[in-house]
Amino acid sequence: MSKHILLGISGGIAAYKSCELVRLLKKQGHSVTVAMSRAATEFVQPLTFQALSDHPVLAETHAGGSGNGMAHINLTREADVFLIAPASANTIAKIAHGIADNLLTNLAAARKCPLAVAPAMNVEMWFNPANQRNIAQLISDGITVFPPASGEQACGETGVGRMPEAVELADLLPDVWMAKSLQGKKILLTAGATFEAIDPVRGITNISSGQMGMALARACRAAGAEVTLIYGQIQTALPAGLAHVEQAVSAEAMYRAVIKHIDRQDVFISVAAVADYKVKNSSAQKLKKDSTGTPPVIELEENPDILASVAALPNAPFCVGFAAESQNVLEYARAKRLKKGIPMLVANDVAVAMGKTVNRITIIDEQGETEFPETDKQQAAAAITARLAALLAQQP
């Protein structure tokens, strides 16, 4: 869903990251208008943002070319969301106390659209008690604060205060306008492919890329859930802003990680492509060819069934399973849901979904089946999240 985004840039070296942010937001299909403080123009020229956004850049509150001279009113009326990135300590302090003495703070004061800020400052400035009070005030006022990252800073010090990378902000920003249908829910989700070692360099795995699981983690986060992600091997980027992220490569390791975190979870979504079997006689050393050319004998034993184990817990969370099948998709998926005793299952064809950016799903629950057309996995995740929220709302 494309939006009109007003991007405010305050003075700070992190302003260079916002160039990439504009490019990414445009790539997502959004329209971007840039407003800069005077200090910001000393770090990046307005012409740069004009070229990237395809829109004029405003850097003065009463710019002559802004129609009625009310840019600080007009811009936020046209925008769906106002993001200030980077947001300096000075800008944050002014907004927290209602001071409107430049373009950005006027925009913040006069806005009708949601406001989000991405702080960027020295580590000591970030932890300064006054700044922390200001951050708390913004949150109390309903302003979204994207927490800064930790790392080496332009001043030479190391610590919290770095503005999140552009790709993370582009990932997180849609959360601002998404409906919070899963607000307050805790969701544990598995994703990716497991790997069962044959020897130190070889193993049994599958072609799952992890894209569907990551899309669902983003969709649940955007809907307001607190998401814990356990992932195996993946071929895609991890989402930003999750409560906890942990890698578990083998099925056994994933089982242990899930059991460790499952307590007090409201929902468990089993998206990971977990190997049914592991190698019983795995070798501690690399297997070598012998002179006879006889291949080694690999013995298999069954892995723990993570989804069935969670569903069988005394106080089991609401469980959502996935069935990736190559034939008789709906028949096998229906049987799987009943066998594992879970309320909701998502069926898909491996030829369409696995290792690809698209999916064609059918959601099966106790109320029936809903088929969705082939679409990108983020849209498929949105459909799954919407159905999950509806089913949870029906629970007593």
Side-chain angles (χ1 to χ4, degrees):
M1 182 184 299
S2 62
K3 296 291 183 179
H4 183 181
I5 297 166
L6 175 59
L7 177 61
I9 301 170
S10 65
I13 188 63
Y16 80 91
K17 292 184 178 181
S18 297
C19 297
E20 176 67 3
L21 178 58
V22 172
R23 190 189 70 81
L24 291 173
L25 293 174
K26 292 274 290 181
K27 187 177 180 181
Q28 290 177 354
H30 304 301
S31 171
V32 182
T33 299
V34 176
M36 305 177 71
S37 70
R38 289 184 181 179
T41 64
E42 298 180 14
F43 291 92
V44 180
Q45 289 293 313
L47 185 60
T48 300
F49 287 109
Q50 181 172 323
L52 290 169
S53 68
D54 294 325
H55 286 98
V57 174
L58 273 81
E60 298 287 346
T61 304
H62 302 293
S66 59
N68 61 3
M70 295 292 177
H72 63 292
I73 302 293
N74 300 336
L75 285 176
T76 59
R77 299 299 182 269
E78 300 165 357
D80 294 302
V81 64
F82 180 22
L83 168 65
I84 303 178
S88 66
N90 187 48
T91 296
I92 288 170
K94 289 179 178 180
I95 294 173
H97 294 280
I99 298 171
D101 64 351
N102 63 23
L103 177 58
L104 296 190
T105 54
N106 269 275
L107 287 167
R111 69 187 170 86
K112 282 191 174 179
C113 63
L115 172 62
V117 299
M121 63 195 71
N122 167 267
V123 58
E124 300 300 336
M125 295 174 71
W126 172 251
F127 286 112
N128 182 282
N131 183 65
Q132 290 297 303
R133 289 195 299 271
N134 292 335
I135 292 292
Q137 184 62 54
L138 295 189
I139 295 172
S140 177
D141 290 342
I143 296 169
T144 300
V145 177
F146 296 126
S150 181
E152 186 177 350
Q153 301 181 330
C155 60
E157 296 183 358
T158 300
V160 178
R162 290 172 56 94
M163 185 176 108
E165 297 302 317
V167 66
E168 294 179 355
L169 288 176
D171 179 8
L172 290 167
L173 188 59
D175 293 13
V176 176
W177 61 76
M178 294 295 291
K180 304 305 176 194
S181 58
L182 294 175
Q183 187 70 49
K185 298 297 183 182
K186 295 182 178 180
I187 296 179
L188 175 59
L189 186 148
T190 62
T194 59
F195 180 90
E196 307 301 329
I198 295 173
D199 63 21
V201 297
R202 304 179 182 91
I204 300 172
T205 187
N206 57 70
I207 62 171
S208 173
S209 64
Q211 293 180 68
M212 190 68 241
M214 301 306 153
L216 258 173
R218 290 188 182 92
C220 291
R221 181 203 66 203
E226 179 183 304
V227 180
T228 294
L229 173 65
I230 310 296
Y231 70 99
Q233 293 188 324
I234 58 173
Q235 300 169 40
T236 187
L238 290 167
L242 304 186
H244 179 77
V245 177
E246 181 176 332
Q247 186 172 31
V249 174
S250 70
E252 182 70 38
M254 186 170 285
Y255 170 79
R256 291 195 301 268
V258 167
I259 295 303
K260 180 176 68 175
H261 292 285
I262 201 65
D263 188 34
R264 294 186 299 277
Q265 298 289 333
D266 299 299
V267 179
F268 174 55
I269 308 179
S270 179
V271 194
V274 181
D276 292 326
Y277 299 94
K278 61 184 176 182
V279 180
K280 184 177 181 179
N281 59 333
S282 60
S283 173
Q285 304 299 327
K286 180 182 175 182
L287 297 174
K288 307 293 289 183
K289 292 181 180 179
D290 63 24
S291 57
T292 66
T294 304
V297 176
I298 298 175
E299 299 178 35
L300 300 178
E301 61 180 337
E302 196 169 359
N303 270 319
D305 188 322
I306 300 174
L307 179 56
S309 298
V310 172
L313 291 172
N315 295 306
F318 187 97
C319 290
V320 180
F322 271 68
E325 305 291 348
S326 61
Q327 59 180 337
N328 303 324
V329 176
L330 292 182
E331 178 185 342
Y332 290 156
R334 294 177 190 123
K336 180 176 181 178
R337 188 181 78 85
L338 295 175
K339 179 181 179 181
K340 296 184 186 292
I342 58 175
M344 178 175 167
L345 186 137
V346 181
N348 49 202
D349 190 321
V350 295
V352 176
M354 289 194 75
K356 299 185 174 68
T357 60
V358 298
N359 204 348
R360 186 173 64 243
I361 63 170
T362 299
I363 298 176
I364 305 173
D365 55 52
E366 295 174 356
Q367 297 177 15
E369 300 177 4
T370 307
E371 184 177 350
F372 294 86
E374 183 175 312
T375 185
D376 68 75
K377 287 183 174 177
Q378 200 59 59
Q379 288 181 288
I384 295 166
T385 302
R387 184 57 184 159
L388 170 62
L391 292 175
L392 291 175
Q394 296 171 14
Q395 289 188 319

